[in-house]
Amino acid sequence: MVIPLTETRDKAQAAASPTATYIPAPSEFYRQAGPALDAFKRRINYLRISLTDRCNFRCFYCMPEHGAHFAPRDQLLTDEELLRVVRAAAAVGFEKIRLTGGEPSLRRNIVEIVREIAATPGIREISMTTNALRLAELAQPLKDAGLTRVNISIDSLNPDKFRMLTRGGDFGRVWAGIEAAQRVGFNPLKLNAVVVRGMNDDEVADLARLTVDEPWQFRFIEMMPLAGVGELAEQSVVPTTEIIARLEQVYGALEFVGWFGSDPARTYRIPGAQGTLGFISSITEPFCSTCNRMRLTADGKLHLCLLRDNELDLRDALRGGASDDDLAALMRQAVWLKPWGHGLPEGIKPTLRGMSELGG
Ligand code: SAM
Ligand code: SF4
């Protein structure tokens, strides 16, 4: 079933929206020119692409230790299919691409994929979120191929705890990846930690200290209740206000720097620090009203809102003979159908997809 097009869809209607399905013959509405706007007049110009649902870590807040769901390989988009989607996205006004996963650096041909996306007319910025395990060797080739920035996940500075949190991750290799990212000039370098009560909440001051001498942004993320980790998230989310209070006990009052456009992170600074701190409060202070993003899953679905089920199947369209114009029209349709927000405060259950399938 498809949501009827109307300028007056409100939050409640959006909350009740069903999963969108592929329409073989999109209406003329979706073929109009101009930037892609959703039904709430948000301009959607940022596509996060999950290059693979596989990962070389098993972070306990993201994937189960055993039995994670992986799509069969023939269901994953090929490089050519992926690049067709990027061109269609650019044609309707998407300007920013982020490569994520699973672990995007595990994708075969990653450097070539970056090069092709960077060369796509209309794409201004291509970045990557990575666990950095392969970054020491890949940073320079990725930079040369046109990657503009990286965000690196690092939830602990204690190698033993890091291994436990990631279920096997090698802190030394990740740190070498961070150094390589800085050396080749991925600026500003952003580091991310999901803060989980009883696991790494006692480390927030140490993590934040990294910004004192380095011009990095360290971002603290509230844990979200995606598939496989829902119960853990309910018990373990540490609200941003609590993280800030812990930091202020150590560093004194943080300076508010700003909350810029569609950036989900509110930015602060330890007085006198070179870098900044970012706080992403998806649970306690959702930023849905300024959302500018959509996601492409590794198996070719446009996923319209992180925590919702609404998806539009581009893989079927690609493999069913859709032209470039058809793909662009589908992108525009997906944008229009984007729900208002994740709906957790209204009691909407999160999607059954895991974070590693959706790309965070
Ligand atoms: N493997 C890469 C990495 O870890 O950076 C990219 C994929 S990962 C799914 C993307 C982002 O999602 C990371 O910053 C990760 O910390 C975050 N993430 C994973 N599970 C999460 C959860 N339950 N709540 C909030 N963020 C989560
Ligand atoms: Fe892998 Fe990233 Fe998920 Fe960790 S957060 S398991 S590195 S996809």
Side-chain angles (χ1 to χ4, degrees):
M1 183 179 161
V2 175
I3 306 164
L5 295 178
T6 149
E7 289 289 330
T8 58
R9 263 195 322 143
D10 66 12
K11 202 168 165 182
Q13 284 173 296
S17 63
T19 299
T21 50
Y22 169 55
I23 304 175
S27 77
E28 281 315 298
F29 175 86
Y30 302 119
R31 294 185 181 274
Q32 289 166 9
L37 296 178
D38 75 0
F40 306 96
K41 300 206 166 39
R42 293 173 295 192
R43 181 173 174 203
I44 310 300
N45 63 358
Y46 177 18
L47 185 63
R48 297 173 65 101
I49 299 178
S50 173
L51 287 183
T52 173
D53 54 5
R54 273 68 171 175
C55 191
N56 40 11
F57 287 0
R58 290 287 181 277
C59 301
F60 73 104
Y61 53 74
C62 177
M63 288 174 93
E65 185 168 11
H66 304 290
H69 171 259
F70 300 117
R73 290 200 184 268
D74 65 345
Q75 290 182 17
L76 304 181
L77 292 190
T78 64
D79 293 358
E80 186 43 42
E81 288 170 337
L82 185 76
L83 294 170
R84 281 196 68 200
V85 174
V86 170
R87 288 194 288 270
V92 303
F94 280 76
E95 300 166 316
K96 288 171 59 179
I97 302 283
R98 175 170 294 276
L99 302 176
T100 172
E103 177 45 42
S105 62
L106 294 179
R107 173 94 182 205
R108 208 178 302 155
N109 301 335
I110 177 67
V111 175
E112 261 322 296
I113 289 172
V114 167
R115 196 186 322 281
E116 292 287 335
I117 295 176
T120 303
I123 299 300
R124 287 192 292 112
E125 187 181 313
I126 167 169
S127 56
M128 180 184 285
T129 302
T130 174
N131 63 25
L133 196 69
R134 298 198 61 214
L135 207 53
E137 69 217 63
L138 281 174
Q140 190 66 59
L142 288 170
K143 177 78 176 165
D144 294 345
L147 195 74
T148 44
R149 286 197 301 102
V150 290
N151 287 14
I152 297 173
S153 298
I154 180 154
D155 302 301
S156 172
L157 298 176
N158 172 326
D160 291 332
K161 196 193 273 189
F162 186 82
R163 190 175 313 109
M164 188 181 76
L165 290 173
T166 53
R167 299 196 181 100
D170 178 339
F171 179 83
R173 279 182 67 187
V174 169
W175 194 259
I178 291 173
E179 288 177 335
Q182 185 172 30
R183 199 166 48 244
V184 306
F186 284 129
N187 294 319
L189 190 56
K190 293 186 181 176
L191 307 180
N192 295 335
V194 178
V195 183
V196 185
R197 193 174 301 287
M199 301 298 286
N200 60 351
D201 53 338
D202 58 340
E203 268 200 74
V204 292
D206 293 339
L207 293 165
R209 190 170 293 116
L210 293 174
T211 65
V212 171
D213 293 326
E214 299 290 352
W216 299 341
Q217 180 175 102
F218 201 100
R219 310 197 313 167
F220 296 100
I221 304 174
E222 287 179 350
M223 184 176 174
M224 286 183 272
L226 278 111
V229 299
E231 242 172 65
L232 179 69
E234 271 167 36
Q235 297 155 11
S236 317
V237 65
V238 183
T240 290
T241 47
E242 189 179 324
I243 300 171
I244 290 179
R246 277 177 180 253
L247 294 176
E248 292 194 329
Q249 276 175 7
V250 179
Y251 300 109
L254 302 181
E255 293 168 9
F256 181 62
V257 178
W259 198 355
F260 304 106
S262 49
D263 185 352
R266 261 181 298 159
T267 309
Y268 289 75
R269 186 190 300 278
I270 295 172
Q274 302 286 313
T276 58
L277 305 173
F279 297 92
I280 303 185
S281 322
S282 325
I283 303 299
T284 59
E285 210 171 335
F287 34 84
C288 305
S289 63
T290 56
C291 184
N292 66 342
R293 58 191 64 186
M294 287 209 321
R295 292 171 171 80
L296 179 69
T297 65
D299 59 351
K301 311 285 194 285
L302 275 175
H303 189 88
L304 310 191
C305 168
L306 179 58
L307 289 171
R308 304 286 291 267
D309 281 322
N310 307 53
E311 290 187 344
L312 191 146
D313 194 339
L314 282 188
R315 192 189 61 210
D316 270 6
L318 284 159
R319 295 183 184 175
S323 68
D324 289 348
D325 283 352
D326 291 338
L327 287 179
L330 281 169
M331 294 290 305
R332 208 178 273 283
Q333 181 185 22
V335 166
W336 183 265
L337 297 174
K338 184 174 163 59
W340 164 256
H342 62 51
L344 290 181
E346 290 93 358
I348 292 176
K349 292 263 175 279
T351 175
L352 293 175
R353 291 242 201 200
M355 193 65 113
S356 55
E357 294 174 77
L358 299 172

